Amino acid sequence: MTIALLSGLRHLSGRRALLAALGLGALAALALPPLHAVPVLLLAVPGLLALLDGAGSWKRAGMLGFAWGMGHHIVGLYWISHALLTDPWRWGWLVPVAVPGLALPLALYVAAVAVVAWRAPPGWRRWLALAGAWTLAEMLRGVLFTGFSWNLMGSVWAFHPLPLQGAALVGTFGLSLATVLLAGLPALERRAVAAGAGVLLLAAGAGAWRLNQPLPAAPGVNLLLVQGNIQQEAKWREDQRWPIFRRYLDLTRDGVARAPAGVPLAVIWPETASPFLLPNDPDARRYAAESLPPGGVLLAGSVRADWGADGRPERVFNSLSAVGPGGTLLGFYDKTHLVPFGEYMPLRGLIPIRVVQGGLDFSSGPGAVAMTVPGLPAFSPLICYEVIFPGAVVPASRPAWLLNITNDAWFGWSAGPFQHLAAARLRAVEEGLPLARAAQTGVSAVIDAHGAVAARIGLGETGSVLAPLPGALPPTPYSRFGAWIAGVLAAAALAGAMPLRANGSTQRIIFWNSRKS
């Protein structure tokens, strides 16, 4: 059946081929979190290869890749429109435009991948070229135009720690390379499929062995994640400031009452959880500190402002504040990697609308740090989607854990929060570090260095969860070498797929040697 279907796809032309590519890309998105329907890739990827086999030119191949990418990213990122529905009277008209508008530049990467793959000979060489080009394109997507490493192909395995263990060696980009290679095998002969099944079994065995290795001892610190479950529509209303603040204080007190005495405690609130500017407001910090146990520390998301001489804010930052006994400000971290259109308006003056709330764009912080707070092991703070970028979550001075605070209320009840959580799990495995994640509406979780979820609060729930901070593993190969391993493997796949053609350089070399003899 698969052979007949692929043969039919090779003979499609015109609009029918483009519609088939669009549908195959949409089908592939079902493999992403939260569905993780990974087997659909065994049709979606070979289907793209079959369509490329029938493409008569590189332009046609690019169009087919673009259609596949549009289907994939529209379905994978449909939840973006929910952010606009938090203020439907102002931004509802953008809903039909926003998701295709974001999918379009992402689909251009897939178009480029398709052109590269088409230039390789059909068969196993085109299969290699597709996987190598796909992986290199994902790497470029993470850095060009501020980067957007959301929904990398390797994230399809984030349904369980077992298939994630390879990320400690090759990172998520390496998992993407392996995923495209394995998914494309039905386009080859049956022996290739059998070999792929054997590789999967070996990888599963290696993953099981790694999971069975005990984690180092925990550092003796408890974490209290507080999830207020505040909907985005109510978040910045003036009449809701005290009720929201009081909810976080009450949830904190309830959680602290369950915490054992004598063990250091870090209370963690999500991104911008405090409606008051904690770094600038001593009274708010003092109220917050009253809910802490002796020696406890609050790590809370809050806006921070630099004030001008006229009493107006000159710059605002999306920050994490550390509050100690008596409301002492122990330190803060300013978000570095800002979200275009969400936290600042790119091309200001050229775009006639302003989606960012407030009159000021957020300013960027100085970069990744290992934050030190009395009583806690050093940690790397990551605000919102800073956690989605492989290799960019740990500063030069390696911390003991990662802390991700986020406001996923923008995403509503959709795939978005689960995709964000999957990215966080992958960062923990890549770096061999535990990760604590506090989300405004969920999913909040404590994740160990193997990527296993040790404690969580579900999406849409209100409450707190208490868990010990897990121990950190020694630096992984990925934490030492970053994306170089996956990059070299992808480049090798691409090089192996592009031999010298008989009617090109090789033919000229043979002719030259025959003249000399």
Side-chain angles (χ1 to χ4, degrees), residues 357-379:
Q357 291 184 341
L360 287 176
D361 286 359
F362 281 97
S363 297
S364 181
V369 298
M371 194 168 176
T372 56
V373 174
L376 300 181
F379 62 92

Side-chain angles (χ1 to χ4, degrees), residues 79 203 230 272 368 436 439 444 453:
W79 48 266
I230 307 298
T272 61
S444 299
V453 177

Side-chain angles (χ1 to χ4, degrees), residues 376-431:
L376 300 181
F379 62 92
S380 177
L382 304 162
I383 299 180
C384 190
Y385 94 149
E386 286 184 320
V387 79
I388 74 171
F389 297 97
V393 298
V394 171
S397 177
R398 180 176 168 85
W401 56 297
L402 307 174
L403 173 59
N404 177 220
I405 59 171
T406 185
N407 176 22
D408 287 359
W410 287 106
F411 307 159
W413 190 280
S414 69
F418 299 101
Q419 292 171 0
H420 206 181
L421 175 66
R425 294 181 73 177
L426 282 159
R427 298 300 84 77
V429 179
E430 287 172 344
E431 302 295 342

Side-chain angles (χ1 to χ4, degrees), residues 13 75 99 102 140 185 189 251 314 345 347 356 382 387 404 413 450 453:
S13 61
V75 174
V99 176
L102 178 58
L140 286 175
L185 287 174
E189 57 186 19
L251 289 172
E314 291 182 339
M345 286 297 296
L347 305 174
V356 178
L382 304 162
V387 79
N404 177 220
W413 190 280
H450 283 150
V453 177

Side-chain angles (χ1 to χ4, degrees), residues 430-452:
E430 287 172 344
E431 302 295 342
L433 294 174
L435 182 146
R437 183 175 194 270
Q440 188 79 251
T441 53
V443 178
S444 299
V446 175
I447 301 167
D448 70 22
H450 283 150

Side-chain angles (χ1 to χ4, degrees), residues 448-463:
D448 70 22
H450 283 150
V453 177
R456 66 182 286 160
I457 309 174
L459 184 62
E461 297 178 7
T462 303

Side-chain angles (χ1 to χ4, degrees), residues 296-307:
V297 174
L298 172 64
L299 305 174
S302 170
V303 174
R304 186 179 74 82
D306 285 344
W307 301 93

Side-chain angles (χ1 to χ4, degrees), residues 165 205-215 450:
Q165 299 313 299
W209 174 84
R210 189 170 189 271
L211 285 175
N212 283 330
Q213 304 306 304
L215 290 169
H450 283 150

